[in-house]
Amino acid sequence: MKTTRLVATALLGLTLLGGAAQAEPSAALRGRIAFMRCAACHSLGAGEPHKVGPNLRGVIGGSAAQAAGYNYTPALRQSDLRWDDATLKRWIRDPAALVPGTSMAYSNSLGEADIEALLVFLKSAGH
Ligand code: HEC
């Protein structure tokens, strides 16, 4: 009887610990989760086809509108942007404010910490 209660208590403890771990995901995990909002329209893996938006592999850190085989809007092609942290943050917050005429219809609901984690994820997973 006593052993059963001890095991039950231990299991409960583990469950609580597990719950705490889920509430505080690591930055990498947080970024991966945040990318789910982008993944509806963007692939990231090498050789994966473009979706509604271009495959983002190799895009971060480079000039805008360079992915081969993707039909960008003239607005983004002529934007002369470089995808560094500052431009990416502005883009994620409000694409049309940064590039009027872009076809990226995305309405941001990510908080600041999620955007930071997303940028870390994109830089590590997108190369
Ligand atoms: C509803 C679809 C959609 C969603 C969701 C979306 N995007 Fe896009 N994205 C696009 C489209 C379409 C373009 C091409 C825009 C153009 O040509 O004007 C684009 C372009 C981009 C570019 C520029 C790529 C390049 O080659 O210059 C980046 C960077 C980008 N998106 C990042 C993101 C990130 C990060 C998220 C998630 C926070 C996201 N997008 C969510 C559709 C989407």
Side-chain angles (χ1 to χ4, degrees):
M1 221 28 191
K2 257 192 179 154
T3 320
T4 315
R5 195 174 303 154
L6 206 67
V7 169
T9 311
L11 281 177
L12 180 68
L14 280 177
T15 311
L16 288 175
L17 270 178
Q22 267 174 7
E24 279 298 329
S26 68
L29 183 58
R30 190 170 188 158
R32 187 177 291 273
I33 291 170
F35 184 70
M36 286 175 179
R37 322 244 176 159
C38 323
C41 299
H42 291 288
S43 49
L44 189 63
E48 283 178 14
H50 301 307
K51 297 185 179 177
V52 170
N55 183 333
L56 292 181
R57 188 152 206 100
V59 165
I60 310 309
S63 303
Q66 299 299 314
Y70 182 79
N71 191 16
Y72 292 97
T73 57
L76 191 60
R77 260 189 270 124
Q78 288 154 19
S79 69
D80 250 353
L81 279 175
R82 227 188 148 67
W83 293 124
D84 57 21
D85 281 14
T87 49
L88 276 169
K89 278 186 196 169
R90 290 173 61 194
W91 177 254
I92 291 167
R93 285 198 197 106
D94 190 349
L98 182 63
V99 181
T102 179
S103 56
M104 178 160 143
Y106 171 74
S107 176
N108 181 54
S109 57
L110 290 170
E112 200 54 38
D114 282 322
I115 293 178
E116 294 285 349
L118 175 59
L119 294 188
V120 172
F121 171 74
L122 283 174
K123 279 185 265 187
S124 69
H127 283 279

